[in-house]
Amino acid sequence: MSASADNGSHTVEGIRRTLAARLKAAGSDAAELDARLLVGAALGLDLTGMVTGARRILTKEETDRLEGLARRRLAGEPVARILGIKEFWGLPLHLTAATLVPRPDTETVVERALELLRADGVAGRALRIADLGTGSGAILLALLSELPNAHGFATDISTEALQTASRNAAELGLSQRATWIACDYGSALTGAFDLIVSNPPYIPSADIAGLDIEVRAHDPRAALDGGADGLDAYRALISQSAGLLTSGGFLVVEVGQGQSADVEALMTASGLSPTGPPKADLGGIPRAVSARRVPR
């Protein structure tokens, strides 16, 4: 159809505003952004296209397609799940049902890892990095994008997750520096690693039912459930990592609220030396706990 002469409710801009109002009324904390992303996806428009075509009237097919996406969002499905893609560390990552939606909090792990490597003067070397329980590959691919001489080894018990991570690596041009291994954390890894990172499941089993619907109904439970106290994954991967790190190598893991002291204790018990206070996320919550194998 030709462009509308007004700002009626059936124009691109009008329907975006209407959807934003519906999402806000439903309790969305990011109603404006969600509406823009969903309208863009339904119409195949980027931000520029939405601005230049703001007064165009939608076709019935476009309206129906957008309404389908809107209903999914109003039912609690995250926008990233609806679109099948999420940006992390500035990198667009594909998602599947087998992967967590990467969250900004997890970028704290990347930040701490890079800080440690740079402070140690080794960031430019041909490092070996392991990402245990990689999911979409978010942490590893972010690190590889910053460390051009590093090679990464990513593990996951889900072959579907590894396929998704491999696709992400290919589309980012990082495939030649990434190896994908199906196993439980570091159980199938051999050799020595300069850096091991992980965002393991850390939600206590009994707490999962109380999580936001976007998480409990759409993220894979295996990537959330940390056992009775939320620490099962750390008990496994920290002991494995202690035997896989090079002399002076670093371990950096994401933790949930209130878990940093317990995780540091597990690291110390495994012979690793904490590298300072946990690094807090943007909300002020201690999020990245790190330790190293004492150089010999």
Side-chain angles (χ1 to χ4, degrees), residues 52 65 82 105 111 119 149 173 183 192 202 231 253 259:
T52 58
R65 184 161 60 245
I82 296 171
D105 293 343
E111 293 169 356
N149 296 318
C183 70
Y202 54 70
L231 300 175
V253 299
Q259 294 178 324

Side-chain angles (χ1 to χ4, degrees), residues 235 238-239 242 261-274 291:
R235 294 186 180 95
I238 289 173
S239 61
D262 289 332
V263 172
E264 283 187 339
L266 289 171
M267 290 176 167
T268 301
S270 292
L272 302 177
S273 177

Side-chain angles (χ1 to χ4, degrees), residues 4 68 91-92 94 99 108 197 236 254 285 290:
S4 169
L91 308 174
H94 293 280
T99 63
T108 311
V197 292
E254 178 172 334
I285 296 172
S290 56

Side-chain angles (χ1 to χ4, degrees), residues 114-174:
L114 292 173
E115 289 170 358
L116 292 170
L117 295 174
R118 289 165 178 163
D120 213 39
V122 299
R125 297 182 185 175
L127 303 172
R128 283 168 51 91
I129 301 172
D131 181 7
L132 310 184
T134 193
S136 64
I139 297 176
L140 180 64
L141 297 176
L143 288 168
L144 292 181
S145 75
E146 297 284 348
L147 303 168
N149 296 318
H151 190 99
F153 299 79
T155 73
D156 207 290
I157 57 173
S158 168
T159 55
E160 182 183 350
L162 291 174
Q163 290 169 356
T164 302
S166 179
R167 175 188 179 187
N168 287 329
E171 295 195 4
L172 294 170
L174 297 170

Side-chain angles (χ1 to χ4, degrees), residues 19-271:
L19 177 55
R22 291 171 67 190
L23 294 173
K24 185 175 182 179
S28 173
D29 293 331
E32 292 288 340
L33 176 59
D34 288 355
R36 177 171 66 78
L37 292 173
L38 293 175
V39 171
L43 306 184
L45 298 174
D46 59 14
L47 180 58
T48 300
M50 290 178 64
V51 171
T52 58
R55 299 173 67 190
R56 179 176 69 80
I57 296 176
L58 273 65
T59 66
K60 182 180 185 304
E61 180 183 2
E62 289 173 333
T63 301
D64 290 345
R65 184 161 60 245
L66 176 59
E67 182 60 22
L69 300 184
R71 288 177 178 172
R72 291 170 64 182
R73 181 70 190 102
L74 289 165
E77 186 172 355
V79 170
R81 291 276 179 212
I82 296 171
L83 304 183
I85 198 163
K86 177 70 172 180
E87 185 175 286
F88 180 86
W89 202 259
L91 308 174
L93 300 176
H94 293 280
L95 308 175
T96 64
T99 63
L100 281 174
V101 175
R103 293 171 173 82
D105 293 343
T106 303
E107 293 187 351
T108 311
V109 174
V110 179
E111 293 169 356
R112 170 53 62 90
L114 292 173
E115 289 170 358
L116 292 170
L117 295 174
R118 289 165 178 163
D120 213 39
V122 299
R125 297 182 185 175
L127 303 172
R128 283 168 51 91
I129 301 172
D131 181 7
L132 310 184
T134 193
S136 64
I139 297 176
L140 180 64
L141 297 176
L143 288 168
L144 292 181
S145 75
E146 297 284 348
L147 303 168
N149 296 318
H151 190 99
F153 299 79
T155 73
D156 207 290
I157 57 173
S158 168
T159 55
E160 182 183 350
L162 291 174
Q163 290 169 356
T164 302
S166 179
R167 175 188 179 187
N168 287 329
E171 295 195 4
L172 294 170
L174 297 170
S175 289
Q176 297 303 310
R177 294 195 287 125
T179 300
W180 313 100
I181 302 163
C183 70
D184 190 21
Y185 302 116
S187 61
L189 296 181
T190 58
F193 294 88
D194 303 288
L195 170 66
I196 298 176
V197 292
S198 184
N199 174 21
Y202 54 70
I203 308 297
S205 303
D207 293 350
I208 292 177
L211 296 175
D212 187 272
I213 190 172
E214 294 189 15
V215 177
R216 71 173 188 269
H218 297 284
D219 276 335
R221 186 180 178 97
L224 299 173
D225 194 339
D229 62 357
L231 300 175
D232 283 359
Y234 299 107
R235 294 186 180 95
L237 73 87
I238 289 173
S239 61
Q240 293 170 351
S241 297
L244 291 169
L245 287 171
T246 59
S247 175
F250 297 102
L251 171 64
V252 186
V253 299
E254 178 172 334
V255 301
Q257 188 167 7
Q259 294 178 324
S260 59
D262 289 332
V263 172
E264 283 187 339
L266 289 171
M267 290 176 167
T268 301
S270 292

